[in-house]
Amino acid sequence: MASTEFRIGGDLSVRRLGFGAMQLPTEPGSARETSLMVARRAVDLGVTLIDTAHLYGGGANEELLAEALHPYPDGLLITTKVGVARTGPAGEWKLDGRPSILRDQVDQALRRLRVERIELLQLHRIDPETPLSDQLGTLRDLQTEGKLGRIGLSEVTVAELDQARELIDVVSVQNRYNILDREHEPVLAACEAAGIAFLPWRPVAAGASGAKAEIAAVAAELGATPTQVALAWLLDHSPVILPIPGTARMDHLEENLAAAQLHLLQDHRDRLDRLSEPA
């Protein structure tokens, strides 16, 4: 069975199967109360890595997690992302990696999460209109100031990762990736070679009916669900993969986290590996 833990940056130990908080409703009402319970249940079930972002409700998701979990238990890592802001011409969301924006969003995250330091901060996207050296230089400065512990990236190519690593120590990459969508296999390979954590967002996705049928067949043989098989495949596929499946439902949360106990046989791995050719 694949290892259940990973050390981000070589020193920050987390359980590999985490939780993505994006889907949690934050508006006042019964749905928010359920969100609080789901976040708490995730930690009760052993989750030590929770992913959020400024983009998720303009910080409302960060506030929700703080309400649910602060004071945080030892060993819990809440990682957030910055670099998308409502600075479009009509006030819409757009990529914005200007130093002033990044600094402001980090300061907001510190306040909303009720912490003095964010142990892992990821750049949500590289802003093509701002020099990369300005974006990463700002995050490096914030790290030097003690506001950030470690820095990661999201949705990057191998070339962008290489360029970034010339400027900062990159400890994580968050790209879209799952059993049926392996466009970023080269990025995963680069992360594996460098010991960089790879957090696949959208770790479970629908695909061609034939591919879904094969996943369902493996699930039936294992007495599991297709979702659990897809997550178990990710954990088995590379030791640096840290899936962050998200849900707002308690039953789906428990289903997702049970995937960490699922053991794929070699025949299962071979059949699942053939479902999508690497890019």
Side-chain angles (χ1 to χ4, degrees):
M1 185 176 293
S3 172
T4 60
E5 296 193 354
F6 183 83
R7 290 185 179 273
I8 299 176
D11 63 346
L12 189 60
S13 182
V14 296
R15 293 192 179 182
R16 288 179 59 204
L17 189 51
F19 175 69
M22 181 181 70
Q23 296 183 30
L24 296 178
T26 58
E27 299 80 8
S30 60
R32 180 185 178 87
E33 294 305 311
T34 300
S35 294
L36 296 171
M37 291 189 290
V38 168
R40 291 167 184 150
R41 181 60 174 160
V43 174
D44 288 343
L45 291 173
V47 166
T48 58
L49 169 62
I50 297 179
D51 174 79
T52 183
H54 178 85
L55 175 64
Y56 307 160
N61 198 266
E62 296 169 336
E63 291 178 335
L64 176 82
L65 292 175
E67 181 180 342
L69 302 169
H70 190 274
Y72 304 115
D74 291 342
L76 177 63
L77 170 65
I78 297 182
T79 174
T80 191
K81 299 182 289 293
V82 297
V84 185
R86 283 189 176 278
T87 53
E92 71 273 19
W93 291 101
K94 69 180 291 288
L95 301 185
D96 196 333
R98 290 175 294 170
S100 61
I101 295 294
L102 298 181
R103 278 191 167 274
D104 179 62
Q105 291 189 354
V106 167
D107 285 341
Q108 289 186 48
L110 290 167
R111 174 179 55 81
R112 289 176 171 136
L113 291 171
R114 308 180 197 174
V115 295
E116 295 183 356
R117 184 168 98 152
I118 297 169
E119 293 300 333
L120 175 59
L121 186 286
Q122 299 177 101
L123 184 64
H124 209 141
R125 296 288 189 277
I126 292 176
D127 176 6
E129 298 180 2
T130 303
L132 183 61
S133 58
D134 288 352
Q135 297 175 70
L136 298 185
T138 298
L139 299 185
R140 186 181 59 230
D141 290 345
L142 288 164
Q143 186 179 38
T144 300
E145 294 165 19
K147 293 184 177 182
L148 307 179
R150 299 157 192 82
I151 302 170
L153 305 172
S154 180
E155 280 302 286
V156 292
T157 64
V158 173
E160 289 169 336
L161 176 58
D162 288 344
Q163 186 180 3
R165 293 183 67 204
E166 294 178 359
L167 300 169
I168 61 168
D169 180 20
V170 179
V171 303
S172 67
V173 167
Q174 187 169 329
N175 276 24
R176 189 192 71 254
Y177 185 87
N178 58 65
I179 193 171
L180 300 180
D181 180 359
R182 307 184 203 173
E183 175 186 349
H184 294 296
E185 193 81 33
V187 181
L188 171 59
C191 288
E192 189 170 330
I196 295 171
F198 185 89
L199 284 63
W201 62 270
R202 196 180 294 163
V204 179
S209 58
K212 288 190 290 184
E214 187 63 46
I215 296 172
V218 171
E221 293 169 21
L222 292 170
T225 67
T227 292
Q228 290 171 333
V229 168
L231 292 171
W233 179 85
L234 284 171
L235 293 169
D236 190 78
H237 186 59
S238 170
V240 305
I241 287 183
L242 281 61
I244 46 172
T247 181
R249 290 177 47 175
M250 199 75 74
D251 57 341
H252 286 172
L253 171 72
E254 295 175 354
E255 173 190 354
N256 291 344
L257 296 181
Q261 308 304 318
L262 193 62
H263 177 61
L264 300 178
L265 301 177
Q266 186 62 52
D267 174 65
H268 299 141
R269 291 194 291 269
D270 291 343
R271 287 155 61 189
L272 295 171
D273 284 347
R274 289 194 292 266
L275 292 181
S276 177
E277 291 296 327

